[in-house]
Amino acid sequence: NDFILHSKFGFEKCRSKDDDGEEHAKLVSRPSLQEAKELQRVEIRLLKNEYPYYIKPNVEHWCLWKLGGGGVMGDDIQEAVENLETKTEFGADRELKDVLHWVNPKHLQSVPDIDHAHLLCLRGDAEDKQ
């Protein structure tokens, strides 16, 4: 969880401390996941999957990460698809032909404590956009 919080959401990393205040080598996020939930912090990030499924080159694997706010909802998916269609930082310079999205059941999620959805995007060539 700590890795996801600081790599995806930009949470601060710091060394963990024991009850006596002594630092350890393990890095933890601040705020912690529990603290973020208590603060009712809601954040959403759409990022390319660092470990994508083996798919064809014109298919992109994205993850929609959501912290707080009741899990990934239909509106979150819709906004993500709109970003994938219209914003160049999400590859909109290539036509978005189709999107498949899903949320794995908790028992199959690699990070079950932080809500996330997968989006597979079929893209056309840059010439297809013209």
Side-chain angles (χ1 to χ4, degrees):
N1 292 340
D2 291 310
F3 174 76
I4 298 298
L5 291 174
H6 66 256
S7 67
K8 311 295 183 217
F9 292 97
F11 283 28
E12 178 186 354
K13 329 183 223 191
C14 57
R15 300 218 179 269
S16 64
K17 295 181 181 182
D18 61 22
D19 293 337
D20 297 328
E22 186 175 328
E23 284 190 351
H24 296 276
K26 181 182 176 190
L27 293 175
V28 295
S29 66
R30 287 291 173 255
S32 68
L33 181 58
Q34 183 60 39
E35 291 166 338
K37 286 180 179 181
E38 289 170 4
L39 294 169
Q40 298 182 352
R41 189 169 177 166
V42 178
E43 293 188 40
I44 298 176
R45 300 286 187 274
L46 178 61
L47 303 166
K48 271 202 172 172
N49 192 334
E50 292 180 50
Y51 308 100
Y53 296 137
Y54 182 73
I55 46 183
K56 292 184 177 188
N58 63 331
V59 178
E60 302 166 348
H61 187 174
W62 294 79
C63 282
L64 181 65
W65 295 94
K66 186 172 183 184
L67 185 61
V72 177
M73 307 295 215
D75 289 347
D76 302 322
I77 297 289
Q78 184 177 349
E79 185 175 341
V81 171
E82 288 172 10
N83 286 334
L84 290 163
E85 284 180 310
T86 61
K87 296 187 177 179
T88 53
E89 66 264 31
F90 296 115
D93 53 326
R94 295 174 58 216
E95 179 188 12
L96 183 62
K97 293 186 170 194
D98 200 5
V99 178
L100 171 69
H101 64 86
W102 72 93
V103 175
N104 283 326
K106 287 282 187 198
H107 71 280
L108 294 177
Q109 293 179 6
S110 55
V111 185
D113 295 332
I114 301 175
D115 294 312
H116 59 287
H118 295 267
L119 294 92
L120 295 182
C121 302
L122 176 63
R123 295 277 187 188
D125 295 327
E127 302 86 54
D128 293 346
K129 187 85 175 185
Q130 299 174 3

